[in-house]
Amino acid sequence: METIGFIGLGIMGAPMAGHLLDAGYKVIASDHRSKPPANLVAKGLKAVSGHAAVAKAADIIITMVPDTPQVADVLFGDNGVASGLTKGKLVIDMSSISPIETKVFAGKINELGCDYLDAPVSGGEVGAKAASLTIMVGGEEKTFERAKPVLEKMGKNITLVGPNGVGQTTKVANQIVVALTIEAVAEALVFASKAGADPAKVRQALMGGLAASRILEVHGERMVKRTFAPGFRIELHQKDLNLALEGAKALGVALPNTSTTQQLFNSCAANGGAKEDHSALVRALERMANFEVGGKLTDVKGKAA
């Protein structure tokens, strides 16, 4: 089994690395910013000093960090992954970042005699913990086949969509669908609740019809129960929709509802909700309705009510 380097042991990355350890892979991490989680160390994860050391020790290096600048720094910054690579190694970026920059990163890694996949994921913290993530991959077929046994330990629906960059393009499209569906569920529940209906029962009824979706199931429940601890933070979804809107501008494509939903996220962030779960988008609609799903809005600024 190939040795895996894993950089980015956050909400998503930690359980993903845990599945690799459970499957018997040797996993190496960096103590660049902080010590790896104790539960992963107990499973056998080894920590080394710096990203270059991770690259030297591993056959496959996975990155799972928040945004494009962080990936650039991890790969090409001082003591970065690129400085520790030797020919034949594989870099898999599972972050959600710019498709355009991804192509640049892949080219630089290829010049070092190494392979590169962009493999962003969907499924959030729940999917990461359950090893049921959807993984959208950009890269060459032979590289994908090499990586597939590793990816299968972290996800279920794993698709090679096209060449480098197309995985990230697919993730941006995914985030458009997710954001707009969260907004639709939020509108429906605010409307039904203010009209006097029990939002929990409305959600239950809708789950049996054409409106049923994973978003209605998971995030609709969050809106009803007011559980906005982050599985995926609003500020990260703002980042993803920025990628969508920047790409749309470059392509000459109109994304009117994506723009509107981004403004609702912006409203949440302006009222202190940037680090809440993206289901808390409902707060922006609640402020406009002066009504909270399930009852009277008690805090119009959108703080924990």
Side-chain angles (χ1 to χ4, degrees):
M1 299 177 77
E2 295 186 286
T3 298
I4 310 298
F6 206 110
I7 299 172
L9 299 174
I11 290 175
M12 299 285 290
M16 292 164 67
H19 294 310
L20 296 175
L21 289 163
D22 291 339
Y25 283 98
K26 182 178 179 181
V27 180
I28 309 294
S30 171
D31 59 5
H32 177 68
R33 290 184 177 273
S34 59
K35 292 183 178 180
N39 67 312
L40 297 184
V41 173
K43 289 183 177 184
L45 182 140
K46 304 296 182 184
V48 295
S49 181
H51 303 323
V54 173
K56 289 177 182 177
D59 304 302
I60 298 175
I61 300 92
I62 295 173
T63 55
M64 186 63 174
V65 296
D67 202 351
T68 308
Q70 286 77 32
V71 175
D73 183 60
V74 165
L75 294 181
F76 307 111
D78 293 339
N79 200 31
V81 166
S83 62
L85 291 175
T86 52
K87 288 185 178 181
K89 297 196 174 189
L90 168 59
V91 175
I92 307 175
D93 178 37
M94 303 189 77
S95 318
S96 296
I97 67 168
S98 165
I100 295 172
E101 290 302 308
T102 289
K103 294 177 184 179
V104 174
F105 298 162
K108 290 182 178 180
I109 296 299
N110 292 157
E111 288 174 359
L112 299 173
C114 299
D115 294 317
Y116 189 98
L117 294 175
D118 47 295
V121 304
S122 179
E125 183 182 10
V126 173
K129 288 181 175 179
S132 61
L133 293 168
T134 291
I135 306 177
M136 301 150 264
V137 186
E140 295 185 359
E141 177 77 34
K142 64 179 179 64
T143 308
F144 174 70
E145 291 301 326
R146 175 184 176 183
K148 195 172 181 181
V150 175
L151 300 177
E152 286 175 338
K153 302 301 183 293
M154 299 177 284
K156 298 297 184 186
N157 181 24
I158 304 166
T159 306
L160 177 63
V161 188
N164 285 132
V166 176
Q168 294 294 353
T169 296
T170 305
K171 177 57 187 291
V172 171
N174 178 85
Q175 294 304 80
I176 292 172
V177 173
V178 171
L180 270 60
T181 308
I182 289 174
E183 196 279 337
V185 169
E187 277 197 21
L189 292 181
V190 169
F191 166 78
S193 185
K194 192 162 187 179
D198 181 339
K201 291 183 178 179
V202 170
R203 173 184 162 276
Q204 181 182 353
L206 295 179
M207 282 300 298
L210 190 59
S213 70
R214 183 67 172 159
I215 298 296
L216 178 61
E217 178 186 359
V218 175
H219 293 313
E221 183 177 44
R222 283 176 173 267
M223 294 172 195
V224 171
K225 293 185 175 180
R226 321 305 293 169
T227 52
F228 298 128
F232 188 78
R233 300 192 302 275
I234 281 175
E235 61 187 356
L236 293 179
H237 214 140
Q238 285 180 290
K239 176 260 297 183
D240 291 339
L241 293 192
N242 279 340
L243 293 175
L245 294 170
E246 289 167 2
K249 182 178 180 180
L251 293 168
V253 174
L255 300 178
N257 292 324
T258 301
S259 299
T260 299
T261 303
Q262 180 73 312
Q263 291 302 322
L264 294 173
F265 278 137
N266 292 345
S267 172
C268 291
N271 283 275
K275 297 189 182 301
E276 290 188 310
D277 186 79
H278 52 175
S279 60
L281 177 144
V282 70
R283 292 197 191 278
L285 297 170
E286 289 171 339
R287 281 190 294 272
M288 289 189 284
N290 194 32
F291 192 89
E292 182 181 279
V293 169
K296 181 67 178 177
L297 185 65
T298 57
D299 187 344
V300 295
K301 292 187 179 297
K303 298 177 181 177

